[in-house]
Amino acid sequence: MSRFQHFFSTWEGVAGLALLVILLLAGLLAPVISPGDPLRIAGRALLAPFSEPAFPLGTDRLGRDVLAGLLYGARTSLVVGLAAALSAMVLGVCVGMAAGFAGGVVDEALMRVVDAFQIVPAFLLALAFVSTIGVSTPVVVLAIALGSWADPARLTRAQVLAIREQDYVASAKVIGMHPVEIAVREVLPNALPPVLALSATIVAGAILTEAALSFLGLGNPNIATWGSMIAEGRSVLRSASYLSVIPGAALAVTVLGVHLFSEGLGKALAENGVRAV
């Protein structure tokens, strides 16, 4: 049975994928379901959910549509989470490949850099970076990636150290393949699957970090985010708790979906003889 079939044979993988597909569709169809600027004033302030058909989830203190913010916030979470995870994975895999394949002084130097980044909590690093550089979506993505690349680097290095001793790698050296060609064609494809299983966890962490930065006012103020929506509802938490509960629930469901997807992927890789993380 292929990894693809194993993935769909796990309830975690199917449930996680279903939740992520719903989230993806919500983000893609946001302009269709709720056209216009989600930050515009659309109606009376503090309309309760289901009190008016035009605003199914109500409005906030400024009269902005909560449903519109929720849909466009899904787009923001996906874009930031995937972009940050991709950046962290690319950087981590490159550093891990270089360290594991080169060995010696290069390995020691790169691993000390990895250790330095792992000492600092990822959120504090992102917070300091955004506070210093400025607030924008690319800066937030880069800040989250800088706090997330060390784990993929260390895992990739461990995989490379094990794989480079295999017979097929030695055979490639004997026939005169260039070290870079060996790394790309022989080592990387076999080292990548366990690292890909880790990517789902990085996406979940990136989504939570982006929400936390937005909650603290360090997200992009020109786009709708779940973190800023939760922060907006703090001052009226007793009288209009839905303003924080709805985006908070969306954030929890998203992270749950990513976690279940990761569990399904890990089981699929384990069933095919690849050690999952």
Side-chain angles (χ1 to χ4, degrees):
M1 187 182 294
S2 67
R3 292 173 187 170
F4 183 79
Q5 292 172 318
H6 274 300
F7 176 80
F8 280 98
S9 67
T10 63
W11 73 266
E12 297 97 332
V14 174
L17 182 61
L19 290 175
L20 293 179
V21 167
I22 293 173
L23 178 67
L24 179 62
L25 290 176
L28 292 176
L29 297 178
V32 178
I33 299 173
S34 183
D37 185 0
L39 300 179
R40 76 186 190 280
I41 297 176
R44 291 192 296 111
L46 295 178
L47 286 174
F50 310 113
S51 61
E52 287 193 16
F55 305 105
L57 297 182
T59 58
D60 65 6
R61 294 188 306 157
L62 299 178
R64 296 175 295 192
D65 188 359
V66 175
L67 176 60
L70 196 68
L71 295 175
Y72 283 89
R75 174 179 293 189
T76 302
S77 293
L78 280 177
V79 169
V80 172
L82 293 176
L86 179 61
S87 302
M89 293 294 294
V90 170
L91 179 59
V93 168
C94 290
V95 171
M97 283 287 295
F101 206 75
V105 177
V106 175
D107 184 18
E108 286 294 325
L110 291 176
M111 285 301 100
R112 297 297 76 76
V113 174
V114 171
D115 290 340
F117 274 87
Q118 285 190 313
I119 290 173
V120 182
F123 178 71
L124 291 182
L125 181 61
L127 184 64
F129 189 85
V130 173
S131 301
T132 304
I133 303 300
V135 176
S136 67
T137 300
V139 170
V140 171
V141 169
L142 181 58
I144 296 173
L146 286 176
S148 307
W149 69 274
D151 288 336
R154 189 170 291 281
L155 179 58
T156 302
R157 173 183 176 271
Q159 293 295 312
V160 171
L161 288 177
I163 293 171
R164 72 177 186 178
E165 304 300 328
Q166 299 297 319
D167 292 339
Y168 61 86
V169 176
S171 300
K173 293 178 181 178
V174 170
I175 63 176
M177 288 180 64
H178 193 277
V180 176
E181 187 179 4
I182 295 175
V184 174
R185 295 184 57 183
E186 304 294 338
V187 178
L188 181 59
N190 294 286
L192 205 54
V195 183
L196 290 178
L198 181 63
S199 63
T201 304
I202 296 177
V203 171
I207 291 173
L208 287 174
T209 301
E210 185 278 327
L213 290 173
S214 297
F215 180 83
L216 295 175
L218 294 175
N220 190 337
N222 300 315
I223 58 177
T225 64
W226 290 341
S228 61
M229 292 176 68
I230 296 173
E232 173 67 23
R234 284 182 300 175
S235 59
V236 289
L237 193 58
R238 290 186 178 181
S239 59
S241 59
Y242 65 91
L243 292 179
S244 293
V245 170
I246 291 175
L251 187 62
V253 170
T254 300
V255 174
L256 176 62
V258 174
H259 173 72
L260 291 175
F261 181 86
S262 176
E263 287 292 316
L265 183 60
K267 289 185 177 180
L269 293 173
E271 286 290 339
N272 283 270
V274 178
R275 182 174 61 85
V277 293

